[in-house]
Amino acid sequence: MTALVIMKDIGKSFPGVRALHNAQLELRSGEVHALMGENGAGKSTLMKILAGIYRRDAGEILLDGKPVEINSPRQAQDLGIGIIHQELNLMPHLTAAQNIFIGREPRKAAGLLLDEARLNANAAEIFASMHLKLDPRTPVGGLTIARQQMVEIAKALSYRSRVLIMDEPTAALNDAEIAELFAIIDRLKAEGVGIVYISHKMDELKRIADRVTVMRDSEYIGTVPAAETPVDKIISMMVGRALTEEHPDIPDHATSEVVLEVKHLNRGTVIRDVSLSVRKGEILGFAGLMGAGRTEVARAIFGADRRDSGDIYMHGKKVDIRIPQDAVRAGIGYLSEDRKHFGLATGMDVRNNVVLASLARFTGPGGLLREAAMHDVAARYIDQLAIKTPSDRQEVRLLSGGNQQKIVIAKWLLRDCEVLIFDEPTRGIDVGAKNEIYKLLNALAKQGRAIIVISSELPEVLRLSHRIAVMCEGRLTGILPGGATQEEIMHLATLRGDTANHNKQSKPAKGEAK
Amino acid sequence: MSASASTASVSIGSKFSGAHRLLAFASLIILILVFSLASPNFMQTSNIIAILQATSVNGVLAIAATLVIITGGIDLSVGTLMTFCAVIAGVVLTFWGMPLGLGVLAAIVAGAASGTLSGTFVAKLKIPPFIATLGMMLILKGLSLVISGTRPIYFNGTPGFTQISQGSLIGSVIPGLPIPNGVLILFLVAIATSFILERTILGRFTFALGSNEEAVRLSGVNTDRWKIAVYALSGSICGIAGLLIASRLNSAQPALGQGYELDAIAAVVIGGTSLSGGRGTIIGTLIGALIISVLANGLRILSVAQEWQTVVTGSIIILAVYTDILRRRRL
Amino acid sequence: MSASASTASVSIGSKFSGAHRLLAFASLIILILVFSLASPNFMQTSNIIAILQATSVNGVLAIAATLVIITGGIDLSVGTLMTFCAVIAGVVLTFWGMPLGLGVLAAIVAGAASGTLSGTFVAKLKIPPFIATLGMMLILKGLSLVISGTRPIYFNGTPGFTQISQGSLIGSVIPGLPIPNGVLILFLVAIATSFILERTILGRFTFALGSNEEAVRLSGVNTDRWKIAVYALSGSICGIAGLLIASRLNSAQPALGQGYELDAIAAVVIGGTSLSGGRGTIIGTLIGALIISVLANGLRILSVAQEWQTVVTGSIIILAVYTDILRRRRL
Amino acid sequence: QDKMYIPLISKGFQHQFWQAVKAGADKAAADLGVEVTFEGPDSETQVDRQIDMLAAALAKKPAAIGFAALDSQAALPLLQQAKDAKIPVVAFDSGVEGDIPVATASTNNIAAAALAADMMAGLIGDEGKVALVVHDQTSRTGIDRRDGFVNRMKEAHPKVEIVAIEYGEGDHLKSTEITKAILQANPDLKGMFGANEGSAIGVVNGAKELGRQLVIIGYDSGAQQKQAIRDGQMAGAITQNPVGIGYKTVEAAVKAAKGEAVEKNIDTGFYYYDKTNIDQPDIAAVLYD
Ligand SMILES: Nc1ncnc2c1ncn2[C@@H]1O[C@H](COP(=O)(O)OP(=O)(O)OP(=O)(O)O)[C@@H](O)[C@H]1O
Ligand SMILES: Nc1ncnc2c1ncn2[C@@H]1O[C@H](COP(=O)(O)OP(=O)(O)OP(=O)(O)O)[C@@H](O)[C@H]1O
Ligand SMILES: [Mg+2]
Ligand SMILES: [Mg+2]
């Protein structure tokens, strides 16, 4: 069986960065080929070369055994290569359907006019095949990133490519959606499509991958069959050493001081009467399905959105939070789930993004900035979080996705808040770094910070949390103790309507009692 | 101008856009009401027609500017391009004595050609639209003077020419309604452009380019070609504006034009089109252009001293847009 | 204007920005060389000084506009604000007979106040900068006429006033170098603003706001306040421009000013500052302003017919920016 | 009972010349007990803006209209409309073609500029290089003053060479920069003519900044120009009688509105003034600050 795609000895450099060196990939038709590696290993770059977005500096690409030149996205499409980008590439003002079929709109009247009805019908058809409930006429700019990601997936599917590249498609998805995506992948596999699958979620490997290619530091490390190879082996190929996982025990916070308390928070229909509290040294996990309202709660606490009602207390004293500045002053930090839009000034360099929330601390008399001190802290975090960047003066948008995420984390670590709300903190972060972040969160908790972690990865929630708050449709449906099971969480996460109100009375009591 | 901010409000805005569009009339209607109450001379047929006619040239120019602005660009050359096209019509009709139809054609083709050039500068040479069209503004201004010999070209040899703007087809059908053809043309151009924007592939790409050009390019679309096409269409609409103003003045005035781009862009922005691209409507632009001419006319009718007219106009433009923002926020 | 496009080329530009900044002189130097070869009258001390002096007002205005543009905004009011501040100085010095220092202070405070107002419209009321400053442009234009009684205010009662721009401190120290104070002030303003932009927290937030305002807000920064501060600073620089022009003309000419914003913004954009915000330098703006005045002066010295001057200016602006783009791409 | 209402649509507004016309009109309005308004576009190129102003003025059903046409052909349809509505039109500043205006109160700009040329030639010894800074390349006043000056030189003073004609929009600062470039390019320039107040002041400023001595002739008046003449920086200037134009226009309009006979051509005259006669009562009367 000849390989569908062979990428041989691919090399690629950016100014000051060697992104790829002798990279290899062999993709067969009908297989799911996982591409693994730490943040900045060169995965996305390799795939962008295959998709005609970057030109390679060295090496060769064979399609069906024949050498091909791929110089533009158009050529890649014509060769049957489709890609779902790691960073969303949508037109926010256009509807979902318009995004999916951009450049390939169905026409009528001898090709003169757009056939909007058919456009929407075609999109609806794809959504149906994905079991996705989404009106094709919704402008994508107003969708959550999870839904935007689904639109990207729908778009890639619409090309009916022979080679489909998925660059971290599940980073923003919850379990139900991931299951849906995997069902789609199985169908495509059966049709003979070759799929390159990039992910940092190790559990996904066993579920769908046939083979795994590992990269490290822009180089090819090896290709192994997924089923036979233990995950630990793959991880050590990725990070160059073995990782030790430690499950910290859950400390007893019953006597610790309550740092943050939120009472009867309301905002339209997305937040309905949410009350919760976090204690000193505690990590409160926040679980729920997509759109459950966790992000909305966090933003409302932080003052990023107006709230209709509800009070916020720090150390038992009511604080008036109207804008994020009030929240930060009160000692609350919020790391957004959408780093590109809300987390980073991507046109500025690493140093300035790290200090963005703490700039006043680096300001001397007369508003003068102390660049040397800024450099020192930036260097410290680059080191501590293993951020892969040529220097602290590199523009953030040139970093790999995972490294960008680490910079947002660094920004809030530097700000040193008493309460830290992390919204999907490990989105797009590799296993090694994830471990580091878990350790970091635990260390922060030990130092006495109160931490809220919103995550759509249940294993992550379970592993980190001392207590777990679960939301469904804007309501807090319950608070579980640290040792809870996935089933208990899912039960609360799907508790809808009036039943929720009933449960809310009893479940939290159980949580608090522990 | 930061496109990223307030995604939520954008989505809501476009969700209720039907209602919003109707409500966008509000500022305009309030203005009209105030002026009607303040002066009996305002609400006369002849004055309404004068206002509409005063809107026709700026309205057509603003429609041309809307297209480019939706792609995320800006067009500073609309005013002098209008003049250039008028001069070209003058050359063809008066200097060369060609028939009317050819003059009309020449003006529109000249507009399209100039638009193609601007578009090429922007799309192919990657020159920022502000600079490309600033350069074109100056080039066209100079060329109009050179070609015309720095003096007006009169269309006395082409009797039908003044009819383009000043005749009244509607009036000849419905005697009581002497709406000049210029106004009719404004509405026809608005309808046609609206149709292109909403229903054709060119319109789709106009919005897509302004929304996220990189995403369009990554979808395998030849973005350069479509961008040039938008500029060319915009240019040909400037050609129509050139015909309108020349017909209105029965002459191509070669020195006129600079400064008109500001009024045109103002109409576009007052009409709710975003300068950062991706969003905009022709009906909004029309309302914006009407707000500008109603204000100018109304303040004159009220005999407000000219220096105060300027102050009041500035204040009301800010107020009208603020009202609009408040309304959208409440929706 | 599409920030997303051509990520690669931008990154390269900023990385080598040291080298690039030096090279950005290239267009300017080529122009100077060409004019020097074409006319022996060009490269004379008196003419160089004339060019520098011709740059002073537009240069200071362009520096003011640069600040606002880096935040992702635009300022159409710089020209009429300059005039307004000149008129205020006239009122304080000539109508009220106050001492020189107070007049200077009044002009700068008036500029800062007007900037604060524009900034408040933009930051608090969320009015698009284009509209807010268009409105302010008209309001200030009208107010200048009203306050001055539509006639020039002369500074004959304040003998030192003309020295602000026309005297020569440098010349009194180094006799052979009679560089007028206006030019000195331009460079001082440039150095001070550059310093603020590069070294202070206000400057850092100026860039950050233009880069991603929402991310800055969500970092707990009071973005509104900083934005208003930037507009206020920009306004006070317009006040300095007002003093310069009034001192140069020994009068506050209330009708002047509209149209100056275009030259100022053109200088900013030619100097490489992006209209979509987040990126820009004062040295670039200075070079942009110099390119504009060298062109105007050189073409006049060569006695090019005025209509052709316009054509050539337009072409060279496009060419200069294109050269710059090519160079950046090659680096 | 309502006062008689007469709008004046001028060619400009902010320039001091037009403000002087306005002052004359206001004075006549006070004397005659009528109401006048005075409006004009920002620049003399904005033909269509002026037409919009005329349209708004007509909508107010005035007793008569004063009109300084930027392009009389372009205004024809509206003027016809005024005639049909029996609203008398008085042309001012420069004429309106056709028989619609009942009277015209204007200056002969061509003759006035020719006088400036004669004066210039006399002051530079009837030979040498001169240059012009004109306010507008295409407007009637700009063209007439330029051509009046240039043609007179060609006809009567063949040894005087005109080396440059530039246009500065009447903007003091722009005219200053233009002057400096012209002086730089022509080290042997003997004289310059500034064709309106802003241009003339620009020429004076430019010469002063470069420290050059030359014969400068200006146009119109204003405090700065008068001062320059007194100081000897400017040899002299042509003045029209703007206050008189404004006054006579309103006067004629009132007469016409009342159905009285009016003089068809009201020549408001022009004068050359210099240091010697600037304070004479007849000259001082037509100058403004
Ligand atoms: N346009 C660019 N300019 C400069 N450097 C770049 C550019 N694109 C990528 N890089 C660098 O190349 C390296 C590889 O990046 P790439 O995006 O391929 O990593 P990745 O393996 O996909 O990482 P992640 O898992 O974090 O997405 C990184 O060091 C990144 O900073
Ligand atoms: N920008 C927006 N415009 C309109 N509706 C929105 C927007 N953002 C979120 N919503 C809606 O608000 C509700 C709560 O969304 P939120 O993002 O808070 O959920 P979440 O629990 O954080 O889920 P996710 O896993 O998607 O982050 C959902 O119904 C969602 O569709
Ligand atoms: Mg990646
Ligand atoms: Mg969320």
Side-chain angles (χ1 to χ4, degrees):
Chain A
M1 170 167 155
T2 80
L4 185 56
V5 176
I6 296 176
M7 300 183 79
K8 248 198 251 171
D9 302 330
I10 304 290
K12 174 78 189 172
S13 289
F14 296 106
V17 181
R18 189 189 67 175
L20 291 175
H21 181 68
N22 287 337
Q24 320 282 341
L25 182 77
E26 188 215 57
L27 176 69
R28 299 178 189 144
S29 59
E31 82 163 336
V32 174
H33 195 127
L35 187 55
M36 309 289 291
E38 288 182 289
N39 296 131
K43 307 177 296 292
S44 297
T45 306
L46 186 64
M47 289 304 101
K48 282 183 182 168
I49 287 172
L50 183 56
I53 293 154
Y54 290 154
R55 301 245 187 127
R56 62 182 193 279
D57 298 340
E60 199 181 8
I61 302 175
L62 307 177
L63 191 69
D64 296 324
K66 285 187 282 288
V68 285
E69 285 300 320
I70 308 173
N71 294 323
S72 71
R74 188 51 182 259
Q75 273 178 344
Q77 277 169 25
D78 292 344
L79 292 169
I81 301 168
I83 182 165
I84 300 169
H85 290 281
Q86 179 178 11
E87 303 294 334
L88 293 167
N89 266 297
L90 295 168
M91 292 144 283
H93 303 91
L94 268 53
T95 68
Q98 290 167 352
N99 264 282
I100 291 170
F101 290 102
I102 187 73
R104 302 171 296 144
E105 291 82 357
R107 316 272 190 91
K108 61 186 180 189
L112 284 176
L113 300 186
L114 296 171
D115 189 344
E116 209 67 2
R118 217 165 84 219
L119 179 82
N120 289 325
N122 290 353
E125 209 173 289
I126 296 174
F127 290 159
S129 78
M130 298 166 64
H131 299 274
L132 174 65
K133 284 194 191 65
L134 180 65
D135 186 341
R137 291 166 301 183
T138 326
V140 299
L143 298 175
T144 56
I145 24 177
R147 303 206 132 210
Q148 294 188 11
Q149 184 69 61
M150 295 306 274
V151 174
E152 283 272 23
I153 292 169
K155 180 174 171 184
L157 293 178
S158 74
Y159 282 100
R160 310 198 163 281
S161 315
R162 302 165 56 207
V163 176
L164 185 55
I165 303 160
M166 298 186 170
D167 196 348
E168 300 195 34
T170 57
L173 303 187
N174 66 29
D175 289 344
E177 291 156 339
I178 291 172
E180 211 57 70
L181 178 65
F182 287 175
I184 296 167
I185 289 177
D186 282 336
R187 284 208 305 275
L188 293 173
K189 238 170 100 164
E191 290 166 18
V193 177
I195 295 169
V196 181
Y197 188 89
I198 301 177
S199 174
H200 290 294
K201 299 182 177 173
M202 304 308 293
D203 57 319
E204 293 175 351
L205 276 189
K206 293 285 171 196
R207 284 168 68 187
I208 53 157
D210 298 307
R211 292 193 297 160
V212 182
T213 289
V214 178
M215 297 180 67
R216 186 170 73 227
D217 286 339
S218 28
E219 295 194 38
Y220 173 79
I221 298 299
T223 303
V224 293
E228 291 92 275
T229 319
V231 171
D232 288 348
K233 165 99 193 299
I234 294 174
I235 292 177
S236 67
M237 284 171 79
M238 284 168 61
V239 299
R241 63 192 150 86
L243 274 187
T244 49
E245 259 200 34
E246 56 200 88
H247 269 276
D249 24 271
I250 297 167
D252 181 16
H253 294 293
T255 57
S256 314
E257 186 198 356
V258 172
V259 182
L260 170 76
E261 185 163 17
V262 177
K263 286 186 183 161
H264 307 296
L265 196 65
N266 276 291
R267 175 178 157 80
T269 54
V270 290
I271 306 175
R272 303 185 210 198
D273 196 34
V274 169
S275 302
L276 56 86
S277 62
V278 206
R279 289 172 189 274
K280 202 169 154 117
E282 185 183 39
I283 301 179
L284 175 69
F286 233 63
L289 300 178
M290 176 185 82
R294 296 161 298 165
T295 298
E296 298 279 329
V297 168
R299 284 178 61 95
I301 295 173
F302 189 62
D305 295 327
R306 218 168 296 206
R307 45 181 197 281
D308 299 339
S309 66
D311 295 324
I312 297 163
Y313 299 82
M314 287 289 288
H315 300 294
K317 270 214 285 296
K318 193 169 155 184
V319 285
D320 184 21
I321 295 176
R322 291 156 192 263
I323 55 172
Q325 190 187 24
D326 301 333
V328 173
R329 278 202 183 134
I332 305 172
Y334 169 65
L335 179 143
S336 159
E337 61 179 343
D338 185 348
R339 61 171 172 261
K340 202 165 161 188
H341 287 129
F342 302 139
L344 293 164
T346 50
M348 300 182 86
D349 59 19
V350 173
R351 179 193 300 178
N352 279 299
N353 273 284
V354 169
V355 300
L356 192 57
S358 327
L359 212 48
R361 213 192 296 168
F362 296 93
T363 307
L368 269 187
L369 290 172
R370 289 198 294 267
E371 290 285 349
M374 286 162 61
H375 166 76
D376 290 346
V377 291
R380 200 175 80 220
Y381 282 107
I382 288 172
D383 195 45
Q384 185 183 343
L385 302 181
I387 299 171
K388 197 165 177 249
T389 172
S391 82
D392 66 333
R393 308 252 58 173
Q394 180 80 334
E395 278 182 52
V396 162
R397 64 192 167 79
L398 301 178
L399 301 186
S400 78
N403 283 303
Q404 292 185 0
Q405 182 71 15
K406 292 180 186 173
I407 289 169
V408 191
I409 294 176
K411 175 173 81 179
W412 286 112
L413 291 182
L414 175 61
R415 178 68 214 202
D416 200 20
C417 295
E418 269 182 289
V419 178
L420 281 165
I421 308 175
F422 288 92
D423 199 349
E424 312 284 2
T426 62
R427 175 169 290 170
I429 285 195
D430 67 55
V431 267
K434 230 180 227 179
N435 243 330
E436 292 305 315
I437 288 172
Y438 294 159
K439 281 188 198 152
L440 207 90
L441 290 179
N442 280 319
L444 286 171
K446 279 216 182 75
Q447 287 166 25
R449 306 269 185 290
I451 295 173
I452 298 177
V453 178
I454 302 174
S455 171
S456 297
E457 284 182 64
L458 279 184
E460 180 168 291
V461 174
L462 290 170
R463 168 157 180 201
L464 274 174
S465 313
H466 303 161
R467 271 190 311 150
I468 301 165
V470 188
M471 286 189 70
C472 177
E473 293 182 337
R475 289 185 180 80
L476 192 66
T477 48
I479 295 183
L480 297 169
T485 63
Q486 297 215 8
E487 289 66 36
E488 284 178 281
I489 295 176
M490 284 316 289
H491 170 71
L492 287 177
T494 51
L495 259 190
R496 316 181 56 176
D498 292 334
T499 46
N501 277 333
H502 167 71
N503 273 280
K504 212 173 127 201
Q505 309 303 327
S506 54
K507 292 280 178 183
K510 183 185 162 198
E512 300 286 325
K514 279 264 166 176
Chain B
M1 292 223 171
S2 60
S4 54
S6 70
T7 12
S9 71
V10 171
S11 75
I12 293 166
S14 54
K15 205 157 172 209
F16 289 80
S17 68
H20 165 235
R21 271 184 216 173
L22 283 181
L23 274 166
F25 277 106
S27 301
L28 179 59
I29 288 169
I30 294 170
L31 270 181
I32 292 177
L33 277 180
V34 169
F35 285 130
S36 306
L37 292 177
S39 164
N41 294 323
F42 183 80
M43 256 299 170
Q44 294 170 35
T45 320
S46 64
N47 196 47
I48 302 294
I49 288 175
I51 291 172
L52 287 173
Q53 192 150 25
T55 316
S56 63
V57 170
N58 185 37
V60 172
L61 277 189
I63 289 170
T66 307
L67 291 174
V68 170
I69 290 174
I70 292 177
T71 68
I74 186 104
D75 195 344
L76 300 178
S77 68
V78 289
T80 60
L81 177 54
M82 164 186 84
T83 299
F84 179 75
C85 296
V87 168
I88 293 292
V91 168
V92 170
L93 295 176
T94 302
F95 291 1
W96 300 349
M98 308 281 245
L100 182 59
L102 278 183
V104 171
L105 194 69
I108 294 174
V109 169
S114 161
T116 306
L117 193 59
S118 300
T120 308
F121 287 154
V122 173
K124 294 281 181 195
L125 308 190
K126 311 286 175 219
I127 296 171
F130 187 93
I131 293 289
T133 59
L134 173 74
M136 286 302 285
M137 170 180 105
L138 295 173
I139 293 173
L140 293 164
K141 176 183 172 184
L143 285 182
S144 299
L145 290 169
V146 171
I147 295 174
S148 65
T150 67
R151 53 179 49 108
I153 307 177
Y154 295 98
F155 292 92
N156 295 330
T158 316
F161 192 75
T162 53
Q163 294 299 308
I164 294 178
S165 162
Q166 300 183 35
S168 177
L169 273 180
I170 297 181
S172 67
V173 179
I174 315 163
L177 208 66
I179 290 177
N181 291 341
V183 178
L184 187 65
I185 290 175
L186 167 64
F187 284 105
L188 290 179
V189 169
I191 290 167
T193 314
S194 234
F195 187 82
I196 291 175
L197 270 182
E198 305 291 333
R199 300 290 176 82
T200 71
I201 182 90
L202 179 60
R204 179 60 41 81
F205 281 123
T206 308
F207 284 104
L209 286 172
S211 191
N212 185 350
E213 182 171 340
E214 188 65 6
V216 183
R217 206 176 61 82
L218 291 180
S219 304
V221 175
N222 185 336
T223 48
D224 291 355
R225 214 172 50 197
W226 288 107
K227 201 184 253 183
I228 294 172
V230 176
Y231 277 83
L233 175 61
S234 167
S236 62
I237 295 174
C238 292
I240 296 176
L243 290 168
L244 284 180
I245 195 163
S247 160
R248 177 127 189 257
L249 304 176
N250 192 26
S251 56
Q253 300 281 345
L256 184 149
Q258 196 175 354
Y260 285 53
E261 70 283 349
L262 199 64
D263 268 5
I265 298 172
V268 176
V269 183
I270 293 172
T273 294
S274 150
L275 277 180
S276 50
R279 202 152 41 93
T281 59
I282 298 296
I283 176 85
T285 297
L286 268 190
I287 293 170
L290 275 169
I291 286 179
I292 292 177
S293 23
V294 164
L295 250 178
N297 177 284
L299 293 174
R300 280 174 196 144
I301 294 266
L302 296 187
S303 302
V304 175
Q306 189 160 342
E307 57 271 37
W308 282 108
Q309 281 184 24
T310 328
V311 177
V312 175
T313 305
S315 315
I316 290 186
I317 286 177
I318 292 179
L319 208 69
V321 171
Y322 184 54
T323 314
D324 199 43
I325 289 170
L326 275 189
R327 195 171 40 233
R328 267 189 260 178
R329 206 179 287 169
R330 211 166 298 140
L331 264 179
Chain C
M1 294 224 169
S2 59
S4 53
S6 68
T7 16
S9 67
V10 173
S11 75
I12 295 164
S14 58
K15 193 134 184 237
F16 288 79
S17 67
H20 163 237
R21 270 183 215 174
L22 284 181
L23 273 163
F25 279 105
S27 300
L28 179 59
I29 289 168
I30 294 170
L31 269 181
I32 292 176
L33 278 181
V34 169
F35 284 128
S36 305
L37 293 176
S39 164
N41 296 320
F42 183 82
M43 252 303 167
Q44 289 171 21
T45 320
S46 61
N47 196 45
I48 302 296
I49 288 175
I51 290 174
L52 288 173
Q53 194 159 20
T55 315
S56 62
V57 170
N58 185 37
V60 173
L61 279 187
I63 290 170
T66 307
L67 291 174
V68 170
I69 291 175
I70 292 177
T71 69
I74 185 107
D75 195 344
L76 300 179
S77 66
V78 288
T80 60
L81 176 54
M82 164 186 82
T83 299
F84 179 76
C85 296
V87 168
I88 292 295
V91 168
V92 170
L93 295 177
T94 303
F95 290 2
W96 299 348
M98 308 282 242
L100 181 59
L102 278 184
V104 170
L105 192 71
I108 294 174
V109 169
S114 161
T116 305
L117 192 59
S118 300
T120 307
F121 287 154
V122 172
K124 295 279 181 197
L125 309 189
K126 311 288 173 217
I127 296 171
F130 186 92
I131 293 291
T133 60
L134 173 75
M136 287 301 286
M137 169 179 104
L138 295 172
I139 293 173
L140 293 165
K141 176 182 169 183
L143 285 183
S144 298
L145 290 170
V146 170
I147 294 174
S148 66
T150 61
R151 55 174 49 107
I153 307 177
Y154 300 101
F155 292 93
N156 294 331
T158 317
F161 193 74
T162 53
Q163 293 300 309
I164 294 178
S165 162
Q166 298 184 38
S168 177
L169 272 181
I170 299 183
S172 66
V173 179
I174 316 166
L177 207 67
I179 291 178
N181 291 341
V183 177
L184 188 66
I185 291 176
L186 166 64
F187 284 106
L188 290 180
V189 169
I191 290 168
T193 315
S194 229
F195 185 82
I196 291 174
L197 269 181
E198 304 291 335
R199 300 288 176 83
T200 71
I201 187 162
L202 177 61
R204 198 53 49 87
F205 279 127
T206 308
F207 284 103
L209 286 172
S211 187
N212 186 349
E213 183 173 338
E214 189 62 10
V216 179
R217 194 176 75 93
L218 290 181
S219 298
V221 175
N222 190 335
T223 46
D224 289 357
R225 219 174 43 194
W226 288 106
K227 201 184 255 182
I228 293 173
V230 177
Y231 277 82
L233 176 61
S234 166
S236 62
I237 296 175
C238 291
I240 297 177
L243 291 167
L244 283 181
I245 194 169
S247 158
R248 184 105 190 268
L249 301 175
N250 194 23
S251 58
Q253 298 285 343
L256 202 137
Q258 196 174 357
Y260 281 54
E261 71 283 351
L262 198 65
D263 268 4
I265 298 171
V268 177
V269 184
I270 292 172
T273 295
S274 152
L275 276 180
S276 48
R279 208 148 38 88
T281 58
I282 298 295
I283 176 85
T285 296
L286 268 190
I287 293 171
L290 275 170
I291 287 180
I292 292 177
S293 22
V294 165
L295 252 176
N297 176 284
L299 292 173
R300 282 174 194 145
I301 292 232
L302 296 186
S303 304
V304 175
Q306 187 148 348
E307 54 271 36
W308 282 109
Q309 281 184 24
T310 325
V311 176
V312 175
T313 305
S315 314
I316 290 186
I317 286 177
I318 292 178
L319 209 69
V321 172
Y322 183 55
T323 315
D324 198 43
I325 289 170
L326 275 189
R327 195 175 36 238
R328 266 190 263 181
R329 208 177 287 166
R330 213 168 296 142
L331 265 180
Chain D
Q1 164 204 328
D2 276 355
K3 278 184 182 174
M4 187 182 276
Y5 171 58
I6 299 165
L8 266 61
I9 307 298
S10 111
K11 291 179 179 179
F13 178 76
Q14 304 106 315
H15 290 111
Q16 292 315 295
F17 177 80
W18 297 114
Q19 284 295 317
V21 176
K22 179 172 184 290
D26 287 342
K27 183 160 190 304
D31 289 354
L32 302 171
V34 299
E35 187 196 345
V36 304
T37 54
F38 191 95
E39 265 193 297
D42 282 348
S43 116
E44 294 193 10
T45 62
Q46 297 179 331
V47 182
D48 65 321
R49 300 287 153 95
Q50 193 189 39
I51 304 262
D52 289 338
M53 290 176 177
L54 187 56
L58 282 174
K60 290 190 270 187
K61 305 196 179 72
I65 285 184
F67 184 55
L70 287 172
D71 186 305
S72 41
Q73 280 214 26
L76 225 49
L78 278 175
L79 292 175
Q80 190 60 46
Q81 204 176 309
K83 191 180 178 189
D84 295 345
K86 303 211 161 38
I87 301 170
V89 175
V90 177
F92 66 97
D93 186 62
S94 52
V96 169
E97 290 164 28
D99 56 353
I100 290 175
V102 295
T104 300
S106 69
T107 311
N108 187 339
N109 275 305
I110 296 180
L115 175 59
D118 287 338
M119 289 301 179
M120 172 76 79
L123 289 166
I124 62 173
D126 217 16
E127 66 178 334
K129 292 181 179 174
V130 300
L132 284 74
V133 177
V134 183
H135 52 289
D136 201 299
Q137 192 170 11
T138 57
S139 76
R140 199 66 259 157
T141 52
I143 293 171
D144 284 352
R145 291 176 199 173
R146 176 194 67 197
D147 291 353
F149 188 92
V150 172
N151 292 340
R152 180 67 182 176
M153 280 296 182
K154 274 194 199 137
E155 286 157 16
H157 313 283
K159 284 192 187 150
V160 176
E161 186 193 352
I162 291 171
V163 292
I165 305 174
E166 296 265 353
Y167 306 88
E169 297 165 32
D171 178 316
H172 301 62
L173 187 62
K174 243 174 229 164
S175 305
T176 306
E177 314 296 5
I178 287 173
T179 302
K180 287 170 82 173
I182 291 176
L183 291 175
Q184 203 69 47
N186 302 281
D188 50 350
L189 199 73
K190 280 187 164 170
M192 285 189 82
F193 172 51
N196 79 344
E197 189 195 338
S199 311
I201 296 302
V203 171
V204 170
N205 284 346
K208 194 160 66 183
E209 285 184 10
L210 282 182
R212 287 274 289 272
Q213 292 294 324
L214 72 162
V215 175
I216 298 169
I217 291 184
Y219 210 107
D220 297 335
S221 45
Q224 252 173 327
Q225 203 162 188
K226 283 157 75 176
Q227 190 61 42
I229 287 173
R230 288 206 168 91
D231 294 349
Q233 286 163 340
M234 189 181 264
I238 299 289
T239 180
Q240 314 173 65
N241 181 2
V243 180
I245 291 177
Y247 196 95
K248 295 243 168 77
T249 303
V250 173
E251 201 177 46
V254 171
K255 275 192 190 160
K258 288 184 180 154
E260 296 167 18
V262 283
E263 193 186 341
K264 187 89 185 158
N265 280 306
I266 311 163
D267 188 351
T268 49
F270 58 84
Y271 312 87
Y272 178 81
Y273 68 105
D274 57 18
K275 219 192 266 194
T276 59
N277 66 354
I278 189 166
D279 292 318
Q280 283 172 22
D282 56 330
I283 296 290
V286 296
L287 298 181
Y288 56 88
D289 272 330

